[in-house]
Amino acid sequence: MSKTLFDKVWDSHIVESIENGPDIFLIDKHFIHEVTSPQAFEELKRKNLKVFDPGKIIATVDHNVPTLNQHLPIKDELSKNQVEKLKLNCLENDIDLFGLGNPNQGIVHVIGPELGITQPGMTIVCGDSHTSTHGAFGAIAFGIGTSQVAQVLASQCLLLNKPKKMRISINGKLNKNVTPKDIILYIISKLGTNGGTGFFVEYSGDVFEKMSMEGRMTICNMSIEMGARGGIIAPDEITFKYLDNREYSPKGDQLKSKIETWNKLKTDKNAIFDQEHSFNASDIYPMLTYGTNPGMGMKYNDKIPNHNNKSDLRSLDYMGFKSGESLIGKKINYVFIGSCTNSRIEDFRLVAKYIENKRKADNVNALVVPGSQKVLNQIKKEGLDNIFTDSGFEIRQPGCSACLGMNEDKIPPGELCVSTSNRNFEGRQGPGSRTILSGPILAAATAIHGKIVDINNE
Amino acid sequence: MSNKKINIIDSSAVPIPIENIDTDQIIPARFLKATSKLNFGENLFRDWRFKSNNEVNNDFILNNPLFNGNILLAGANFGCGSSREHAAWAIKDYGFDVVISSFFADIFKMNALNNNILPIQVNNKLLKYLFDEVFKNPRIKIKIDLPEQILIINDKSIKFDVDNYKKMCLMNGYDDIDYLISKKDLIKDFIKDQ
Ligand code: SF4
């Protein structure tokens, strides 16, 4: 029978299917971080259970770490406690930890791929919804809750019902200044925040085939924002090349034989999806969101569409926007460039290219937060740090930072922030903060002009 | 925490007719710094329950003494966004055993079930009916009969779906983890043969 890429990976990880019930599903890699793991380790202790296979787990600290002075003790007692707890849990259970000061530390969804830990055909979980990012490699990767973190720690398995399959195809030529972030914001604006619920999404078509791994990660990252469990893209030459020579990826002949297996993962020609969507690349322009969920997005220079639904009106009210209004010219004081969606080297190259020899507007606070120590080093190696500093952008140390404002990096109440992150929920970037999501180029342009500008007609 | 096992619940409900309630609203990120599962109820819907100056927001329904009970009634796409299980802990700790909506986000649904909260998905019409009835009469009882999988209001009974395996877990207070541990040898053999 013809199978999809998703079927092939899923079916090869079923330990057993319970009659009229879920599958016992094997997990190859388990990423953990400081915020969603402590209660899972507690649970194991309470039940007197051991970690099943510490070698399959990688830990890092990212969600609540400061982005300044990471060599100093963490000031916030509660955050410090969580970070210490993780250290202790990793020590006790023999788990590899990339803590603060470690050259591999960073946002979990940035470091997994860049270290070559994330590989095609794998099943990957983490107590974080944006685990969908790793699907860019042709892996089945999805976020789980803390109870499930405990289950995987204790058994390397989960009890799951197989999700339905959706394919989203995009072909054609992309417009000026369209980045992968704009493509995924466009898709979510079309399908809605729950359009993908119950589904795993395969992205196909020449737009994704030509896309870099960094771009594919941005796409898969935000699959969760339309409710999908995850996104997946067939591994190809671009994937294999990316994996060549990474710290944890197979080397030499081993890599060759792996590639042979990975090449067989592609969706079979006649395979059937439960739902299919296709879009034209030429319909996609740089995108902005205007509401408090990522589905409320539009072409950057469109007018905010009419909304009648109470929840949407509430959302517009929170943002201080009205239907029929354009965002062009809107004054912006905060710009955040970072998060697991857009904090890879490619993103910073795009930003640097735009801002080089320009200076940010005086009213703007422009925060640049690399996704990992490795990305930060690369930024320095390429001299991009000088461009950022010369343009008045502040470059920080790696972490989730203002994506969720668990550390000091918060957007003040009432302020608008153009952000390359993935969620514009009420108060996401700090209590009372208001977020406009965009790709890195629009964010850079906003910082330079101090307002949202008509980027394609500059 | 309220009862671990769920069987029959007969309670009034608290209605929050807002769609796309994300887990950042259910429990904001700044409250995720704990290392235990306790006391998250205090900060359930924190930024809706309290104003920025920490004053109680009397406009928010949770602060309205007319409405109480262990059933939460919410708009479509409840629990979207972050996978934080803290959202489920907060809901359970506050005292809710059942959440009724016309649509649940996947991860939230799983987290709810893993914390003995029963998520009941109803169609839009029924959800609207429930909202209307509860707003009309805040004391109205909704009876949830998990063994029979029926919801009863005003003597009308409506069937709801629940995964068979999960139903058994909820009714007996079982965890997935116990089941998985019992399969350890099978899992080990599977890995060996990979
Ligand atoms: S960067 Fe933001 S979305 Fe990504 S893992 Fe961190 S908090 Fe979550």
Side-chain angles (χ1 to χ4, degrees):
Chain A
M1 208 183 91
S2 301
K3 283 184 168 192
T4 68
L5 159 62
F6 177 75
D7 290 325
K8 292 181 191 178
V9 183
W10 184 279
D11 296 351
S12 64
H13 286 80
I14 299 174
V15 177
E16 192 176 66
S17 295
I18 304 173
E19 224 186 299
N20 292 324
D23 293 333
I24 301 179
F25 186 74
L26 184 75
I27 303 302
D28 295 323
K29 270 287 163 230
H30 185 192
F31 293 103
I32 59 175
H33 63 83
E34 76 279 19
V35 176
T36 57
S37 68
Q39 291 89 348
F41 283 105
E42 277 300 310
E43 170 104 2
L44 257 65
K45 255 191 209 146
R46 198 170 58 80
K47 297 205 157 184
N48 217 349
L49 296 169
K50 271 214 167 70
V51 171
F52 184 91
D53 187 351
K56 291 194 157 69
I57 309 169
I58 296 281
T60 192
V61 290
D62 53 5
H63 278 67
N64 71 21
V65 299
T67 54
L68 282 173
N69 294 320
Q70 288 184 345
H71 62 289
L72 296 178
I74 301 178
K75 280 198 214 117
D76 181 296
E77 277 303 317
L78 294 172
S79 300
K80 186 168 140 192
N81 185 34
Q82 272 190 335
V83 168
E84 289 294 322
K85 258 257 146 69
L86 181 65
K87 214 190 255 175
L88 202 70
N89 284 328
C90 289
L91 260 179
E92 266 178 23
N93 296 290
D94 195 20
I95 293 167
D96 283 343
L97 166 68
F98 303 136
L100 283 182
N102 187 299
N104 288 343
Q105 180 266 337
I107 304 175
V108 59
H109 313 309
V110 176
I111 66 165
E114 80 182 358
L115 292 169
I117 300 169
T118 300
Q119 293 166 21
M122 277 186 168
T123 54
I124 300 173
V125 293
C126 173
D128 187 282
S129 57
H130 292 99
T131 308
S132 58
T133 312
H134 308 260
F137 290 78
I140 291 183
F142 53 92
I144 55 177
T146 297
S147 297
Q148 293 174 306
V149 171
Q151 291 159 26
V152 181
L153 288 177
S155 72
Q156 208 54 43
C157 285
L158 285 171
L159 287 170
L160 296 175
N161 293 307
K162 190 173 178 181
K164 287 179 286 184
K165 293 159 288 178
M166 180 190 288
R167 178 159 61 189
I168 297 177
S169 314
I170 306 186
N171 290 291
K173 196 173 162 329
L174 288 166
N175 291 305
K176 190 172 143 194
N177 286 325
V178 170
T179 66
K181 176 68 162 288
D182 302 299
I183 299 174
I184 187 67
L185 282 174
Y186 176 84
I187 296 173
I188 301 167
S189 78
K190 292 292 169 205
L191 300 186
T193 45
N194 59 17
T197 305
F199 288 93
F200 231 90
V201 180
E202 179 173 346
Y203 299 95
S204 78
D206 57 16
V207 165
F208 302 109
E209 280 159 23
K210 282 185 232 152
M211 200 177 271
S212 69
M213 286 316 292
E214 284 85 352
R216 292 178 189 181
M217 285 186 247
T218 302
I219 298 283
C220 289
N221 173 278
M222 285 193 73
S223 304
I224 180 74
E225 306 309 335
M226 53 178 158
R229 286 311 308 270
I232 192 164
I233 295 176
D236 59 9
E237 284 308 317
I238 296 176
T239 322
F240 309 148
K241 206 165 157 216
Y242 180 97
L243 282 170
D244 194 12
N245 248 327
R246 304 253 159 194
E247 225 160 310
Y248 285 75
S249 53
K251 312 261 153 29
D253 283 348
Q254 228 191 342
L255 180 65
K256 263 192 211 140
S257 91
K258 278 275 181 194
I259 289 177
E260 247 170 67
T261 325
W262 293 342
N263 261 325
K264 297 190 191 118
L265 289 173
K266 283 198 179 65
T267 291
D268 298 332
K269 219 166 172 194
N270 298 319
I272 293 171
F273 288 83
D274 300 285
Q275 218 180 84
E276 296 238 28
H277 297 275
S278 65
F279 302 104
N280 290 326
S282 58
D283 291 338
I284 308 175
Y285 290 89
M287 294 284 293
L288 288 174
T289 64
Y290 56 85
T292 58
N293 68 62
M296 297 175 85
M298 62 180 186
K299 180 180 166 193
Y300 76 105
N301 59 359
D302 266 357
K303 297 206 163 72
I304 296 176
N306 266 327
H307 285 284
N308 308 313
N309 166 307
K310 255 198 192 150
S311 299
D312 292 342
L313 290 172
R314 184 197 145 88
S315 172
L316 281 182
D317 190 49
Y318 180 86
M319 293 301 291
F321 298 157
K322 288 193 187 61
S323 294
E325 188 183 3
S326 159
L327 293 182
I328 302 289
K330 194 63 69 194
K331 188 175 171 203
I332 303 289
N333 298 329
Y334 288 84
V335 170
F336 172 63
I337 300 170
S339 92
C340 56
T341 311
N342 283 121
S343 66
R344 299 181 181 83
I345 188 64
E346 209 177 54
D347 300 309
F348 297 113
R349 285 185 192 134
L350 271 180
V351 173
K353 191 170 151 216
Y354 184 89
I355 68 174
E356 192 165 20
N357 301 321
K358 298 189 184 99
R359 216 185 136 75
K360 73 162 183 69
D362 287 341
N363 61 306
V364 170
N365 278 289
L367 201 58
V368 171
V369 186
S372 70
Q373 302 289 349
K374 278 203 152 51
V375 173
L376 179 59
N377 281 336
Q378 190 62 27
I379 285 176
K380 289 183 179 158
K381 213 167 124 191
E382 296 180 20
L384 307 182
D385 51 337
N386 295 328
I387 300 179
F388 292 132
T389 332
D390 291 348
S391 306
F393 285 55
E394 191 181 349
I395 177 159
R396 293 285 188 86
Q397 291 171 300
C400 294
S401 180
C403 171
L404 90 167
M406 262 191 98
N407 66 358
E408 302 73 36
D409 308 343
K410 292 184 178 62
I411 307 305
E415 288 286 353
L416 286 170
C417 175
V418 169
S419 176
T420 66
S421 55
N422 41 52
R423 287 186 173 141
N424 49 357
F425 299 154
E426 280 182 37
R428 168 80 176 179
Q429 299 192 283
S433 63
R434 300 183 291 161
T435 304
I436 297 173
L437 301 175
S438 82
I441 303 179
L442 256 178
T446 306
I448 296 299
H449 296 277
K451 58 184 182 189
I452 295 172
V453 290
D454 193 350
I455 187 150
N456 278 8
N457 299 301
E458 267 191 302
Chain B
M1 292 229 172
S2 39
N3 35 336
K4 191 150 166 59
K5 295 181 194 178
I6 294 188
N7 228 301
I8 289 172
I9 287 165
D10 197 5
S11 168
S12 51
V14 180
I16 309 184
I18 300 175
E19 293 174 9
N20 298 314
I21 296 179
D22 58 78
T23 53
D24 272 77
Q25 307 317 315
I26 300 173
I27 183 96
R30 61 188 189 283
F31 301 113
L32 307 187
K33 294 181 181 178
T35 52
S36 86
K37 293 185 187 180
L38 304 175
N39 303 330
F40 280 98
E42 279 171 28
N43 294 313
L44 175 70
F45 293 116
R46 174 76 203 193
D47 293 339
W48 288 352
R49 265 161 78 198
F50 297 92
K51 298 183 188 162
S52 51
N53 58 7
N54 277 330
E55 251 175 55
V56 173
N57 175 9
N58 288 316
D59 294 341
F60 186 54
I61 205 117
L62 237 53
N63 293 325
N64 184 339
L66 277 179
F67 297 97
N68 54 42
N70 42 18
I71 298 175
L72 176 64
L73 205 55
N77 201 22
F78 185 79
C80 57
S82 157
S83 61
R84 60 188 69 164
E85 194 164 315
H86 313 66
W89 301 333
I91 287 172
K92 189 77 178 178
D93 185 46
Y94 189 87
F96 293 117
D97 294 315
V98 177
V99 186
I100 303 176
S101 175
S102 55
F103 207 86
F104 290 96
D106 279 335
I107 306 183
F108 175 80
K109 194 171 178 180
M110 185 77 86
N111 287 341
L113 288 164
N114 281 334
N115 287 280
N116 290 79
I117 300 166
L118 173 63
I120 298 182
Q121 188 164 330
V122 296
N123 65 40
N124 286 323
K125 270 213 185 80
L126 179 57
L127 186 69
K128 183 164 181 312
Y129 175 76
L130 293 174
F131 273 127
D132 289 347
E133 290 302 298
V134 172
F135 276 115
K136 229 176 9 197
N137 172 17
R139 303 300 339 127
I140 195 168
K141 288 274 172 74
I142 302 176
K143 185 172 170 184
I144 309 293
D145 183 332
L146 178 59
E148 294 297 322
Q149 294 181 221
I150 47 174
L151 177 161
I152 303 164
I153 182 167
N154 290 337
D155 293 329
K156 292 188 187 49
S157 69
I158 297 120
K159 197 102 181 134
F160 62 83
D161 282 340
V162 54
D163 181 275
N164 258 338
Y165 167 81
K166 278 293 171 192
K167 175 175 165 181
M168 184 270 296
C169 290
L170 286 172
M171 288 176 55
N172 298 295
Y174 291 163
D175 288 349
D176 283 0
I177 200 165
D178 300 328
Y179 183 83
L180 286 168
I181 292 301
S182 74
K183 295 284 181 178
K184 235 175 174 166
D185 291 335
L186 184 79
I187 297 168
K188 277 187 184 148
D189 289 344
F190 183 84
I191 294 177
K192 237 187 270 155
D193 295 342
Q194 248 189 340

